[in-house]
Amino acid sequence: MSTHFDLIVIGGGPGGYVAAIRAAQLGLRTVLVEKQHLGGICLNWGCIPTKALLHGAEMAHRLSQMEHLGFTAQGLDFDIRRLVKRSREVSAQLTDGIEYLLKKNNVEVILGKGSMVGKGRVRVDSAHDSRELRADHVILATGARPRALPGISGSDSRIWSYFEALVPETLPESLLVIGSGAIGSEFASLYSDLGTRVTLVEMAEQILPSEDADVSTLVAAQFEKRGITVHRQASVSSLQALSHGLECTLKFKDGREQTVAVERVLVAAGIQANSENLGLEALGVDIERGFIKTDQWSRTNVAGLYAVGDVAGAPCLAHKASNEAIICVERLAGVEHVKPLDRSKIPACTFARPQVASVGMTEAQAHAAGRDIKVGSFPFKANGKALILGESEGFVKVIFDRHSDELLGAHLVGPEVTELIQGFTIASSLEATAQDLIASVFAHPSLSEAMHEAVLAAHGHALHY
Ligand SMILES: Cc1cc2nc3c(=O)[nH]c(=O)nc-3n(C[C@H](O)[C@H](O)[C@H](O)COP(=O)(O)OP(=O)(O)OC[C@H]3O[C@@H](n4cnc5c(N)ncnc54)[C@H](O)[C@@H]3O)c2cc1C
């Protein structure tokens, strides 16, 4: 095997494998170094297996509602091990697909741990040997891992990270989730739907801290209605092992304390970049709070060295990683007219029940940016399709610049909004104005009509509310 390449990619997640495929398509001799599993966290321990489990949880919810549609059933049973097995099978199917795609595109794959030993020089250590590769360009796509909470994480096997929460052998009777970002909220929703008593603890003023306040309020209300206990402005100050679980002491911002006894604790308090042990210090690579600093083309401060995906910072999303990777590769390969990634147009989704999806500024961010705005909102309870589905909680909220009519933000909560958001993302990418959206025809009866009505509402003339 040759040891000189045009491009070496370290890390085979959605940042790394997409970079490698695109580079090979552009004619670059490319090698991908992966130390554990092709597909990265996303396919093996993130996006895909969580959604496969959430699909099962959604089914549990639907079955609980079936009498409304005239069905009754007896003897229904549920085995968490079978749902977990299916989730692992879906992951495996997709990671096999990545292996096939890399092969098809003539990307050389080396299983081993990569680290920089000089500019354009990468050492790969595997179980059998160690070798050095050279390339004109090196992309770091090493991703991230769960952020450990000092004094809490790792001290007891009943304290989980997302790894353990994805493969439970039995369902815990009770679970306390620390952190209510997308990951924490999805697990809270999932376990609650499967019958676990869930407590969700969030340090910030609102759950889903980066979402619009109206969306967060509705999700918290829905969670509480479902029996999830939600604590805001609270943190877990200590944990004590009991014979059958853990006693968690919660400390609230106002000084109050409360103890909660649970069978399991899930720490979902963010992630930390995999930027250590890569030889970056010796090369003088700029790193900030663990994340590799990059410019708009994913270049680090060292010539020929790039970083994409989670290791290069927020938003830590698979589609951000892949899009960053494509732009980085096209730019370094000399493709013309490549545009940098516009971070204001990256959608974010939480696949809890209710689902949440957003793109662009929240109302608070628009005010803070000094924008003069028009806001429109439309509830799903006035949408025919949502009523048909029996999923009428939620709304679509849109924010426009009052003068230019530019779409600044869209915030959706409710049925299938993780699919609907793409309509606003495309509109925003094409710089559609409110008038363009008003003039668009939306099929009836569809959930997407709520998007149209929200835009009409921002202009004072919603038709159905
Ligand atoms: C529970 C959970 C749910 C999520 N759900 C979603 C979702 O629904 N949608 C979404 O967009 N995002 C989701 N994410 C986030 C998403 O998984 C990440 O943003 C995405 O995986 C980042 O891709 P990446 O390529 O940067 O890194 P990763 O996917 O982390 O891949 C990095 C790869 O690099 C390898 N590696 C690390 N160091 C080395 C080394 N030295 N040598 C060789 N290989 C190395 C690792 O083994 C890994 O395979 C979720 C994350 C979690 C944890």
Side-chain angles (χ1 to χ4, degrees):
M1 185 191 125
S2 165
T3 55
H4 196 279
F5 295 86
D6 296 320
L7 172 67
I8 301 171
V9 181
I10 305 182
Y17 83 75
V18 169
I21 290 176
R22 186 70 191 114
Q25 286 174 342
L26 291 168
L28 301 188
R29 281 181 15 85
T30 305
V31 60
L32 175 69
V33 180
E34 167 54 52
K35 71 171 181 186
Q36 199 178 359
H37 37 37
L38 290 174
I41 288 296
C42 175
L43 269 59
N44 294 281
W45 296 103
C47 327
I48 297 298
T50 44
K51 277 47 179 197
L53 294 181
L54 279 157
H55 180 60
E58 175 74 29
M59 184 61 74
H61 167 65
R62 283 184 193 276
L63 288 171
S64 74
Q65 305 290 302
M66 68 183 167
E67 285 185 12
H68 299 306
L69 301 176
F71 294 97
T72 46
Q74 269 129 33
L76 261 181
D77 205 5
F78 172 68
D79 182 350
I80 182 67
R81 288 168 306 177
R82 286 178 57 186
L83 179 58
V84 169
K85 183 168 173 278
R86 172 158 161 74
S87 152
R88 302 318 302 164
E89 283 166 0
V90 176
S91 282
Q93 194 177 343
L94 286 167
T95 51
D96 286 353
I98 303 302
E99 192 179 345
Y100 162 78
L101 288 173
L102 289 164
K103 201 172 192 172
K104 181 180 138 197
N105 283 283
N106 293 321
V107 174
E108 201 140 357
V109 175
I110 301 182
L111 291 178
K113 184 181 168 304
S115 57
M116 303 300 299
V117 286
K119 278 192 188 169
R121 290 170 48 211
V122 173
R123 195 182 68 221
V124 184
D125 296 309
S126 65
H128 316 291
D129 61 5
S130 182
R131 64 182 116 168
E132 190 177 312
L133 310 174
R134 288 170 184 251
D136 301 338
H137 307 280
V138 178
I139 296 181
L140 303 166
T142 49
R145 60 187 185 278
R147 189 164 75 85
L149 285 186
I152 292 183
S153 303
S155 51
D156 189 305
S157 62
R158 292 167 296 189
I159 302 171
W160 286 350
S161 71
Y162 54 76
F163 289 111
E164 293 82 18
L166 279 165
V167 286
E169 282 173 15
T170 54
L171 276 174
E173 188 272 318
S174 52
L175 173 73
L176 182 134
V177 181
I178 305 177
S180 74
I183 295 175
S185 292
E186 286 183 2
F187 277 112
S189 179
L190 158 66
Y191 274 93
S192 164
D193 267 341
L194 295 179
T196 296
R197 184 166 45 81
V198 175
T199 304
L200 182 60
V201 181
E202 170 55 55
M203 265 181 97
E205 274 179 22
Q206 64 172 55
I207 66 164
L208 292 168
S210 51
E211 296 296 345
D212 190 271
D214 291 344
V215 168
S216 169
T217 303
L218 187 132
V219 176
Q222 287 295 303
F223 274 8
E224 282 169 342
K225 199 168 153 193
R226 289 171 53 186
I228 299 175
T229 305
V230 178
H231 293 299
R232 278 152 286 207
Q233 300 195 302
S235 57
V236 175
S237 57
S238 68
L239 284 181
Q240 207 183 333
L242 304 172
S243 55
H244 285 299
L246 297 148
E247 186 175 77
C248 315
T249 304
L250 307 185
K251 191 158 188 183
F252 291 85
K253 198 181 165 197
D254 59 12
R256 268 181 310 126
E257 285 197 342
Q258 183 183 331
T259 55
V260 186
V262 288
E263 201 178 316
R264 294 280 184 277
V265 168
L266 167 60
V267 180
I271 56 163
Q272 128 183 34
N274 294 326
S275 57
E276 309 90 346
N277 308 317
L278 290 172
L280 304 185
E281 299 77 11
L283 280 180
V285 177
D286 281 346
I287 294 178
E288 198 173 88
R289 288 181 300 114
F291 294 101
I292 301 173
K293 280 178 81 174
T294 54
D295 69 5
Q296 60 179 345
W297 306 113
S298 299
R299 293 180 296 204
T300 69
N301 59 318
V302 173
L305 185 65
Y306 312 79
V308 300
D310 284 5
V311 75
C316 292
L317 295 167
H319 43 283
K320 175 264 193 182
S322 302
N323 279 274
E324 220 167 41
I326 293 166
I327 291 166
C328 171
V329 166
E330 291 188 347
R331 173 85 180 181
L332 71 82
V335 173
E336 285 180 11
H337 311 304
V338 184
K339 283 199 214 150
L341 186 61
D342 182 345
R343 282 162 191 263
S344 71
K345 297 182 175 27
I346 301 176
C349 296
T350 302
F351 297 75
R353 189 167 67 76
Q355 292 185 1
V356 171
S358 61
V359 65
M361 292 181 188
T362 63
E363 190 173 348
Q365 286 166 342
H367 285 305
R371 305 295 290 250
D372 190 5
I373 57 174
K374 276 188 291 204
V375 178
S377 168
F378 188 81
F380 279 113
K381 68 180 180 209
N383 173 273
K385 182 68 186 282
L387 291 176
I388 292 166
L389 296 175
E391 304 281 342
S392 57
E393 292 294 341
F395 57 81
V396 177
K397 172 175 174 178
V398 283
I399 302 165
F400 290 96
D401 183 283
R402 180 174 297 282
H403 307 288
S404 66
D405 242 358
E406 176 194 355
L407 178 63
L408 299 178
H411 305 275
L412 291 75
V413 53
E416 300 305 331
V417 297
T418 55
E419 297 291 337
L420 296 182
I421 192 65
Q422 205 55 36
F424 284 127
T425 305
I426 293 170
S428 169
S429 296
L430 298 178
E431 295 175 5
T433 63
Q435 292 311 320
D436 296 325
L437 289 168
I438 287 171
S440 302
V441 180
F442 289 73
H444 176 75
S446 70
L447 295 169
S448 67
E449 287 174 293
M451 299 164 68
H452 196 211
E453 291 277 4
V455 179
L456 290 172
H459 292 76
H461 53 97
L463 290 165
H464 292 90
Y465 193 64

